[in-house]
Amino acid sequence: MNADLAEVLRPVKHVLIDFDGPICSVFAGLPAPEVAQRLRAALFSNGERASTSWESETDPLALLRRISIERPDLVAMADAALTRLEEEAVQLAHPTPGGETVLRACAESGRTVWLVSNNASSAIRAYLNARGLNSQVAGVFGRVPGDPASMKPSPRLLLDAMDVAGSVPAECVFIGDAVRDVEAGDAADVSTVGYANKPGKDSSLAAAGAVAVVGSMKVIADALT
């Protein structure tokens, strides 16, 4: 698989990478279920009432998407509240082994890095700043504020990144750890390398259409160089 991965990466000039998973575990220190609960509490403090689906959702990004469908009038408030929680969460995030090595490998091999994530851009930048990684990332494309529909599996953020990079899909690769990443890559006509960071993800990522699947970000760094 490594040789195949090297061939996939050989023509690549721009490496698009998901943030939560390939670079760090955003909710490692402030767990996702707690973030979801605090997001609900922020809305309730304004006199809102939760639907049953809101109460049972433990993924804060999925909760934001539910809110956008059921109560679009609350999206701006919910997105702003979630952004603040993400900015808090990244201060406790755990770096992914090999994630920063990939960033360095891109720089050493003359490739640019663009982070494309469903997380808030401000939270991503806060993490990069805290880790001294700003210089290794050409651009950050988090979800569009107040517009959860911009999140993957929509290709919008990937297309925006390629537009700013002045690139075309054939010059890019996307690295992600979820089926929605592969789906977004497919919709943007960009090949996706799957990062299987949990048991069972290798088969699901491959089935979704990832051109290669790895269990370590260091494998990608080695292939880049």
Side-chain angles (χ1 to χ4, degrees):
M1 181 174 287
N2 292 4
D4 293 340
L5 181 58
E7 288 301 316
V8 168
L9 297 175
R10 196 178 308 281
V12 169
K13 297 180 180 179
H14 307 283
V15 181
L16 285 56
I17 311 178
D18 183 28
F19 178 63
D20 187 11
I23 300 301
C24 71
S25 179
V26 171
F27 300 113
L30 181 58
E34 181 178 344
V35 172
Q37 178 56 40
R38 288 175 60 180
L39 175 55
R40 284 189 291 269
L43 295 177
F44 299 162
S45 68
N46 286 277
E48 300 298 336
R49 298 182 62 182
S51 69
T52 302
S53 64
W54 295 12
E55 287 285 8
S56 60
E57 184 56 71
T58 59
D59 178 342
L61 291 171
L63 176 57
L64 178 63
R65 199 186 299 273
R66 284 181 181 272
I67 292 169
S68 72
I69 294 170
E70 299 175 16
R71 289 291 305 275
D73 57 307
L74 296 179
V75 169
M77 182 191 305
D79 197 323
L82 178 54
T83 295
R84 291 190 294 271
L85 289 164
E86 289 172 300
E87 290 169 352
E88 180 180 346
V90 295
Q91 302 306 316
L92 303 172
H94 293 180
T96 297
E100 293 179 18
T101 305
V102 168
L103 300 184
R104 289 192 293 271
C106 287
E108 292 168 4
S109 62
R111 298 176 173 95
T112 61
V113 172
W114 308 80
L115 296 185
V116 182
S117 170
N118 287 350
N119 294 114
S121 294
S122 60
I124 298 170
R125 292 193 181 97
Y127 179 87
L128 296 176
N129 185 59
R131 301 284 299 179
L133 299 172
N134 283 312
S135 64
Q136 298 189 38
V137 175
V140 171
F141 293 83
R143 69 176 181 274
V144 177
D147 186 10
S150 66
M151 297 192 296
K152 297 166 291 180
S154 166
R156 177 174 175 178
L157 301 176
L158 289 167
L159 294 172
D160 287 349
M162 287 190 289
D163 183 56
V164 173
S167 187
V168 295
E171 298 175 335
C172 301
V173 72
F174 182 39
I175 301 169
D177 70 326
V179 168
R180 63 177 172 269
D181 294 321
V182 183
E183 293 172 344
D186 184 59
D189 202 26
V190 176
S191 296
T192 302
V193 173
Y195 168 45
N197 55 351
K198 293 180 181 178
K201 274 195 174 183
D202 51 351
S203 57
S204 61
L205 290 167
V211 294
V213 179
V214 300
S216 165
M217 289 298 288
K218 188 176 184 303
V219 172
I220 298 176
D222 291 343
L224 283 165
T225 55

